[in-house]
Amino acid sequence: MTEPLMTVGLGAIVAYLGKDGVSKLLGPTADYLGGEIKQLAEVRITNLKKIFLNAQKKADVNLEDSKTHAVPPKVLKVIVNDASYSDDLITTEYFGGVLASSRTKIPRDDRGARIAKVIESLSSYHVRAHYIIYSNIINLFKESDYNICLQKDRDEMQIYFPFEVFAKAMDFSDDELNNAQLLDHIFHGLARDGLIDESWVYGDKHRLESYTGFSTDPGIVCKPSPFGVEVFLWAFGYGKKPLSFAFTEKCVTTIDAIEALLPGIVATGIKKST
């Protein structure tokens, strides 16, 4: 039996977006927010407001097609039932992008539910690290001719993060820096879910030299994956774009709280001959 959609107080969201704004964003699926209303905890309502506002911003250019486009109910169910538990800034960005990307005129196109479920299964550490990795990879290889779907090209898109730079971007506290399992949690988790290539490594300069080909400070080496790029695109409202779109100037994926291109990041793969 299909799990029912947990409905929320529509008035709480309408107060932020307006009834017309909610209807334009969700299309006919907005009806799922009415009917027999179950009140959620206030904090979940607040989280949903942030997600809806983020989605509205990312979908803004297309909202006039609300009579023909809708967010599939299956996607909305994940957002309301699961995403509403997260108040993390970047996770909110990701869920908002998925909601915006999910607006479609093809009723069965519920791919966003799968992407939202993947994001929901990640810890806030995973999501932040995913953003840091891909925002830097995409900026380093912007307008290049690399094909993310080819393993040989992904090998050449390998990058190195100095550990201090990565830790600062992750906003690690002293307690987090002293947690010996945290990097394993982050990178094993991302690799296990296919969000980065499985051949990642971290350590001191002696361990990293065989991966980078040169001496480095302690740090992290990793490569992108096609699914990692796909999730990244969905997170910023570009779910219908080809993977190659991520590496174009038109792909805007900035988050004010984090630098898009960190200092000391080095592309370590063998460069293509020109």
Side-chain angles (χ1 to χ4, degrees), residues 111-132:
R111 290 173 294 155
R114 155 74 169 153
I115 303 296
K117 275 292 188 183
V118 170
I119 295 169
E120 187 274 330
S121 72
L122 301 176
S123 71
S124 59
Y125 296 114
H126 289 137
V127 177
R128 191 179 186 96
H130 180 267
Y131 176 75
I132 291 169

Side-chain angles (χ1 to χ4, degrees), residues 20-160:
D20 188 56
V22 171
S23 296
K24 285 185 174 182
L25 178 65
L26 299 180
T29 304
D31 294 340
Y32 280 75
L33 294 178
E36 185 179 354
I37 294 174
K38 299 179 181 179
Q39 294 295 337
L40 304 186
E42 184 62 29
V43 66
R44 291 180 65 191
I45 293 291
T46 299
N47 294 339
L48 280 174
K49 291 174 185 175
K50 294 176 182 177
I51 292 169
F52 273 63
L53 285 169
N54 187 279
Q56 186 184 46
K57 177 180 67 176
K58 290 172 178 172
D60 203 34
V61 295
N62 295 316
L63 289 183
E64 294 309 315
D65 56 14
S66 58
K67 291 184 178 180
T68 57
H69 287 62
V71 172
K74 189 174 179 180
V75 177
L76 185 60
K77 179 168 73 72
V78 179
I79 297 297
V80 173
N81 288 2
D82 299 325
S84 59
Y85 282 97
S86 178
D87 61 359
D88 175 70
L89 169 66
I90 302 177
T91 306
T92 296
E93 283 275 351
Y94 274 41
F95 281 129
V98 171
L99 190 57
S101 292
S102 294
R103 299 184 69 255
T104 179
K105 61 182 179 181
I106 304 173
R108 70 173 182 173
D109 187 3
D110 56 5
R111 290 173 294 155
R114 155 74 169 153
I115 303 296
K117 275 292 188 183
V118 170
I119 295 169
E120 187 274 330
S121 72
L122 301 176
S123 71
S124 59
Y125 296 114
H126 289 137
V127 177
R128 191 179 186 96
H130 180 267
Y131 176 75
I132 291 169
I133 291 167
Y134 282 94
S135 62
N136 280 275
I137 287 176
I138 284 167
N139 275 284
L140 281 172
F141 297 103
K142 188 81 75 174
E143 300 297 344
S144 71
D145 60 350
Y146 287 103
N147 185 343
I148 191 66
C149 296
L150 298 179
Q151 183 64 57
K152 65 182 182 63
D153 280 12
R154 294 197 298 275
D155 290 343
E156 295 180 9
M157 298 171 80
Q158 176 178 279
I159 62 171
Y160 155 77

Side-chain angles (χ1 to χ4, degrees), residues 165-237:
V165 171
F166 181 78
K168 183 178 180 180
M170 288 293 296
D171 197 26
F172 285 152
S173 66
D174 289 341
D175 287 341
E176 289 167 324
L177 285 171
N178 292 326
N179 186 334
Q181 293 184 352
L182 196 50
L183 284 182
D184 287 327
H185 165 78
I186 292 170
F187 286 92
H188 276 303
L190 292 175
R192 182 179 58 248
D193 289 336
L195 294 171
I196 58 172
D197 189 271
E198 61 184 11
S199 59
W200 61 273
V201 64
Y202 69 86
D204 59 24
K205 63 180 182 179
H206 300 294
R207 186 178 188 191
L208 296 184
E209 191 166 359
S210 62
Y211 290 85
T212 62
F214 54 88
S215 181
T216 68
D217 291 330
I220 304 153
V221 172
C222 63
K223 303 174 189 176
S225 71
F227 188 53
V229 173
E230 181 183 0
V231 170
F232 196 73
L233 285 173
W234 276 82
F236 289 92

